[in-house]
Amino acid sequence: MPSYTVTVATGSQWFAGTDDYVYLTLQGTDGCSDRHLLDKPFYNDFERGAVDSYDVTVEEDLGEIQLIKIEKRRYWYQDDWYLKYITVKTPVGDYLEFPCYRWITDEKEVVLRDGRAKLPRDDKTQILKQHRRKELESRQKMYRWKEWHPGFPLSIDAHSHSELPRDIQFDNEKGIDFILNYTKAMENLYVNRFMHMFQSSWSDFADFERIFVRISNTISEYVMQHWREDFMFGYQFLNGCNPVLIRRCTEIPKKLPVTMDMVECSLERNLTLEEEVKQGNIFIVDYELLDGVDANKTDPCTVQYLAAPICLLYKNLEKKIVPIAIQLGQKPGPDNPIFLPSDSTYDWLLAKIWVRSSDFHIHQTVTHLLRTHLVSEVFSIAMFRQLPAVHPLFKLLVPHMRFTIAINTKAREQLICECGLFDKANATGGGGHVQMVQKAMKDLTYSSLCFPENMKAKGMDSKEDIPYYFYRDDGIKVWEAIKSFAEDVIHIYYESDEVVCEDVELQAFVKDIYVYGMRGVKASGFPKMIRTRETLAEYLTVIMFTTSAQHAAVNFGQYDWCSWIPNAPPTMRCPPPTEKGTVTIEQIVETLPDRGRSCWHLGAVWALSQFQDTELFLGMYPDEHFVEKPVKEAMAKFRKNLDEIVSIITERNKNKKLPYYYLSPDRIPNSVAV
């Protein structure tokens, strides 16, 4: 009688093994096997990390194996099982791989197809078409859209992490408990003795050093030493943790009535301000989005303030970016002066601190939360709802969705919810952050997520013109590597543009993102349909770049750039100055966060800057969803390209006092998971 050798691989994460009964059924083109208990006498089957083999004997040859059914039945108590994959050796010696990489919970069953990726058009038999349809129907019941706040991109319909489908939960929920992690961070940083000292001001700038952890040769220490300098202020717009706001100024806005007399001493080329603008030497950062946003009122003992500054910057003869004018409000007038480098030391310093505080708020809520976390969740939900596991694009994208829905759900549960941790230290807590996301949605466009296109739109694309913009330089390299990989995979499965158009699952995926993620707003520029392989390559690059590189660029530098509190104050306790010549050092210290809020802030930026213990970096795909040789060759080429980028960045950073490494592929996690 024909015999099949079945090999079963159990996951290596905590509690992946099971003592439950596991049954297997093989379904082929010529017949179906009996339900077979996978069990060896006197042996502990399906232990964590184990690879177990079993012989399955059948009456007659089953033909080509199409499906495998795995059933789990309770032995003693509920015992979830993480099944990595199954391989089947047929009677004629062929090997078939059936990827799973899922949890099998309760007394459930899963039906697996072999690992060869298939488009809908490739399935000819009714049984395979039905399997595909049933999988999506099941997923669409589990992954439901929900509006968390009006105007937000839709998110997952789950109130807590424990309500999520088991497959997308963290392996260890404690590891991503924000309250636990923030408290642990404050203990590690030796600042927990200050964490309850709200309303207690620091004595002076040096006093902030009492909670500052010196780690030799780090960017954070360099920031502490040089944060007052105009060069350091300007440099952060290019390579800090929010390097996305600066744009070339093509015309001085009427709401910023800067005159030549004001800035003449800052210009180095013997040109008028208008001529400097025409030559492309003037840049601008406008925090208009903060105008009208309500400041945090959750603590009646501390009044907190926000500002919506406009900052004008200049490219000097060394081609470095430095500030030349700052207005702290959007409406010009006698009580909204334009601060200049020629003003008194403390006037100019406080104006820059206000800009840094505003930059922190935009970074946290718009650059980081909206434009990486919430957008990536949209991509994740749409993928699970519309792409079955056998689809090549599911296999391509699933590593870039790892834990994203889980981390966002946990954030809504503990961090950015009403009375969450965000309210403790941030001036935009208590609802201001919600207003900001709602306002920022109008600027969330498809083109703004296309990295090269966005750089060009801002006038920031010239390497010769702006030579020290490492975020741009490294970002372009990583973008091109990802796009090349996406193109290679697309050309394996889509032989023509017509095949792209005919892929109903792809089109449903794209439509879900447009309708639910972007709320059907035509002005977003998100496509409703994809018609060419070229457009598909760009679309997939947007997804993979946003979930990996873009998040890494704006997340993992938070401790480096924000741990020195005066450089990134999360709140301000006095209103912006309305006249010049009155600011004192005492006033600045009274304006900066108190001891308690400083410590919560420090714990937050430390915790958010840490990689996961089991982090998978760009190009690392240990779960083998793809089994075909051409795709594995494309992956190897991708990794080679990424390694070359790592070498280039490492060489550039040698002996730099301010190395830029956030977009080095060996420091870019595959997905948004922290």
Side-chain angles (χ1 to χ4, degrees):
M1 291 191 293
S3 179
Y4 295 81
T5 302
V6 175
T7 302
V8 181
T10 298
S12 55
Q13 58 269 65
W14 286 106
F15 311 113
T18 187
D19 288 326
D20 282 355
Y21 297 110
V22 174
Y23 296 89
L24 174 137
T25 306
L26 300 174
Q27 188 159 358
T29 50
D30 295 339
C32 187
S33 74
D34 292 333
R35 184 169 175 257
H36 189 96
L37 175 65
L38 299 180
D39 182 48
K40 296 180 192 173
F42 311 109
Y43 178 76
N44 204 344
D45 304 276
F46 315 119
E47 287 292 281
R48 174 182 166 218
V51 178
D52 302 313
S53 293
Y54 305 87
D55 289 326
V56 176
T57 304
V58 295
E59 295 286 336
E60 294 179 356
D61 191 282
L62 303 176
E64 183 182 344
I65 302 298
Q66 293 185 310
L67 300 172
I68 287 180
K69 182 161 79 169
I70 297 288
E71 300 171 71
K72 187 169 74 69
R73 296 293 176 258
R74 182 178 296 189
Y75 169 69
W76 185 251
Y77 58 91
Q78 183 175 319
D79 195 11
D80 296 348
W81 178 40
Y82 188 85
L83 172 60
K84 287 175 68 177
Y85 61 82
I86 291 176
T87 62
V88 176
K89 182 184 177 185
T90 67
V92 294
D94 293 336
Y95 280 89
L96 300 173
E97 297 178 50
F98 293 78
C100 182
Y101 302 105
R102 277 183 265 166
W103 287 95
I104 303 178
T105 60
D106 304 322
E107 297 199 355
K108 297 281 178 66
E109 61 184 52
V110 294
V111 180
L112 304 176
R113 288 183 56 164
D114 79 82
R116 293 170 296 175
K118 300 290 183 183
L119 297 174
R121 72 199 294 263
D122 298 326
D123 285 344
K124 306 302 182 187
T125 64
Q126 200 57 39
I127 189 172
L128 294 180
K129 290 178 181 179
Q130 186 181 37
H131 175 264
R132 198 173 194 120
R133 188 180 68 251
K134 278 187 173 180
E135 182 184 1
L136 288 182
E137 286 173 355
S138 171
R139 291 237 217 100
Q140 285 163 13
K141 289 175 184 174
M142 286 193 291
Y143 297 87
R144 302 175 306 277
W145 295 104
K146 181 183 177 182
E147 182 179 70
W148 190 56
H149 281 292
F152 273 49
L154 295 194
S155 51
I156 195 76
D157 184 5
H159 296 290
S160 65
H161 179 267
S162 60
E163 290 182 15
L164 293 173
R166 183 71 178 90
D167 288 330
I168 60 169
Q169 291 182 23
F170 280 99
D171 297 330
N172 175 15
E173 192 178 351
K174 270 189 179 178
I176 47 93
D177 187 292
F178 287 107
I179 297 171
L180 199 66
N181 287 349
Y182 281 28
T183 307
K184 194 188 300 177
M186 285 185 275
E187 288 175 3
N188 291 341
L189 297 168
Y190 306 108
V191 298
N192 46 330
R193 66 189 185 278
F194 297 114
M195 62 186 284
H196 301 297
M197 296 173 69
F198 291 93
Q199 291 83 50
S200 172
S201 297
W202 302 96
S203 305
D204 51 32
F205 290 137
D207 207 16
F208 280 99
E209 291 191 46
R210 294 178 65 186
I211 62 164
F212 185 78
V213 178
R214 289 173 183 266
I215 304 170
S216 181
N217 298 320
T218 62
I219 290 173
S220 54
E221 188 166 345
Y222 192 90
V223 171
M224 183 192 74
Q225 294 164 352
H226 298 275
W227 70 282
R228 301 189 199 207
E229 298 168 17
D230 286 354
F231 157 73
M232 176 60 82
F233 180 86
Y235 179 85
Q236 292 180 75
F237 288 113
L238 300 178
N239 302 307
C241 62
N242 194 27
V244 303
L245 298 184
I246 189 169
R247 58 173 62 243
R248 198 183 297 274
C249 182
T250 54
E251 183 182 3
I252 304 292
K254 288 185 173 61
K255 64 182 179 179
L256 181 64
V258 176
T259 65
M260 179 62 184
D261 288 344
M262 290 179 182
V263 298
E264 187 173 10
C265 61
S266 298
L267 308 180
E268 300 178 354
R269 294 179 176 83
N270 295 319
L271 300 173
T272 66
L273 179 59
E274 192 177 322
E275 288 167 339
E276 294 278 19
V277 169
K278 283 181 182 173
Q279 288 206 4
N281 298 322
I282 304 296
F283 299 82
I284 193 167
V285 179
D286 189 348
Y287 297 92
E288 183 180 14
L289 186 129
L290 283 164
D291 193 30
V293 171
D294 294 330
N296 193 338
K297 295 182 178 66
T298 57
D299 180 359
C301 298
T302 303
V303 182
Q304 301 180 59
Y305 295 90
L306 294 168
I310 309 168
C311 181
L312 209 61
L313 301 123
Y314 177 62
K315 184 183 72 179
N316 64 20
L317 290 173
E318 295 179 334
K319 293 193 174 182
K320 292 178 179 175
I321 303 294
V322 292
I324 58 172
I326 294 171
Q327 182 177 284
L328 296 179
Q330 291 288 309
K331 294 177 183 175
D335 59 348
N336 187 19
I338 296 174
F339 292 93
L340 308 165
S342 55
D343 291 340
S344 73
T345 301
Y346 292 137
D347 276 0
W348 182 234
L349 182 60
L350 183 56
K352 288 192 293 182
I353 290 172
W354 267 106
V355 171
R356 293 295 311 139
S357 182
S358 301
D359 196 79
F360 175 80
H361 296 310
I362 295 288
H363 166 261
Q364 287 291 354
T365 304
V366 180
T367 307
H368 184 207
L369 173 62
L370 172 61
R371 297 180 69 88
T372 63
H373 277 261
L374 299 185
V375 168
S376 296
E377 183 175 0
V378 166
F379 298 149
S380 298
I381 299 170
M383 180 198 73
F384 282 113
R385 284 175 55 82
Q386 304 298 350
L387 299 177
V390 73
H391 199 290
L393 299 189
F394 178 90
K395 294 171 181 283
L396 177 68
L397 294 178
V398 71
H400 301 285
M401 309 302 167
R402 181 174 180 254
F403 298 145
T404 298
I405 298 174
I407 195 70
N408 285 5
T409 303
K410 203 70 183 172
R412 285 188 288 269
E413 199 180 337
Q414 293 184 325
L415 187 63
I416 54 176
C417 55
E418 191 175 344
C419 302
L421 292 175
F422 197 82
D423 290 355
K424 280 190 178 292
N426 295 292
T428 49
H433 59 301
V434 173
Q435 296 171 15
M436 288 173 69
V437 170
Q438 290 166 335
K439 292 173 77 170
M441 278 296 288
K442 72 179 192 310
D443 297 318
L444 179 57
T445 62
Y446 180 72
S447 62
S448 72
L449 297 179
C450 294
F451 193 83
E453 194 176 331
N454 191 35
M455 284 293 152
K456 197 169 185 178
K458 291 177 178 177
M460 301 297 293
D461 54 318
S462 171
K463 189 172 181 178
E464 185 181 346
D465 203 24
I466 313 162
Y468 304 109
Y469 200 7
F470 306 127
Y471 163 71
R472 172 205 58 208
D473 300 341
D474 299 351
I476 292 288
K477 290 184 184 75
V478 175
W479 172 276
E480 292 299 335
I482 292 173
K483 189 176 182 187
S484 175
F485 176 46
E487 287 170 342
D488 289 345
V489 173
I490 288 166
H491 282 85
I492 292 168
Y493 296 102
Y494 295 90
E495 61 198 40
S496 67
D497 292 344
E498 186 182 1
V499 178
V500 172
C501 291
E502 289 175 357
D503 185 349
V504 292
E505 290 167 350
L506 162 64
Q507 304 305 340
F509 168 64
V510 171
K511 186 178 178 183
D512 244 30
I513 290 171
Y514 172 72
V515 171
Y516 298 106
M518 299 308 119
R519 311 303 298 268
V521 176
K522 195 174 181 181
S524 71
F526 271 76
K528 302 176 193 175
M529 182 178 181
I530 289 180
R531 293 180 171 84
T532 68
R533 293 191 294 179
E534 183 182 356
T535 310
L536 177 57
E538 181 183 71
Y539 194 83
L540 296 174
T541 306
V542 164
I543 294 172
M544 291 191 286
F545 185 87
T546 301
T547 56
S548 59
Q550 186 58 32
H551 178 256
V554 302
N555 182 73
F556 293 104
Q558 290 188 76
Y559 185 78
D560 288 347
W561 296 100
C562 303
S563 57
W564 180 245
I565 307 292
N567 189 59
T571 188
M572 300 288 262
R573 296 180 296 146
C574 296
T578 55
E579 57 182 340
K580 295 187 180 186
T582 62
V583 179
T584 63
I585 181 67
E586 291 77 18
Q587 184 184 337
I588 293 178
V589 173
E590 280 298 316
T591 300
L592 288 168
D594 56 39
R595 294 168 191 253
R597 286 179 175 81
S598 296
C599 294
W600 277 101
H601 168 81
L602 200 59
V605 297
W606 171 273
L608 292 170
S609 299
Q610 307 306 304
F611 294 120
Q612 293 278 343
D613 291 340
T614 56
E615 200 71 82
L616 296 174
F617 295 97
L618 194 57
M620 292 170 60
Y621 302 124
D623 291 357
E624 295 190 47
H625 291 277
F626 283 112
V627 301
E628 298 98 316
K629 188 179 177 184
V631 190
K632 293 192 174 185
E633 288 172 350
M635 286 178 174
K637 176 186 162 188
F638 181 40
R639 281 190 288 271
K640 184 170 180 288
N641 290 341
L642 295 175
D643 288 343
E644 288 172 4
I645 296 170
V646 171
S647 299
I648 292 168
I649 292 172
T650 303
E651 185 62 33
R652 182 198 65 211
N653 283 338
K654 276 183 182 174
N655 303 318
K656 274 192 180 295
K657 290 178 181 174
L658 280 174
Y660 186 82
Y661 43 68
Y662 308 116
L663 283 171
S664 183
D666 58 346
R667 298 175 67 98
I668 299 174
N670 270 330
S671 63
V672 176
V674 64

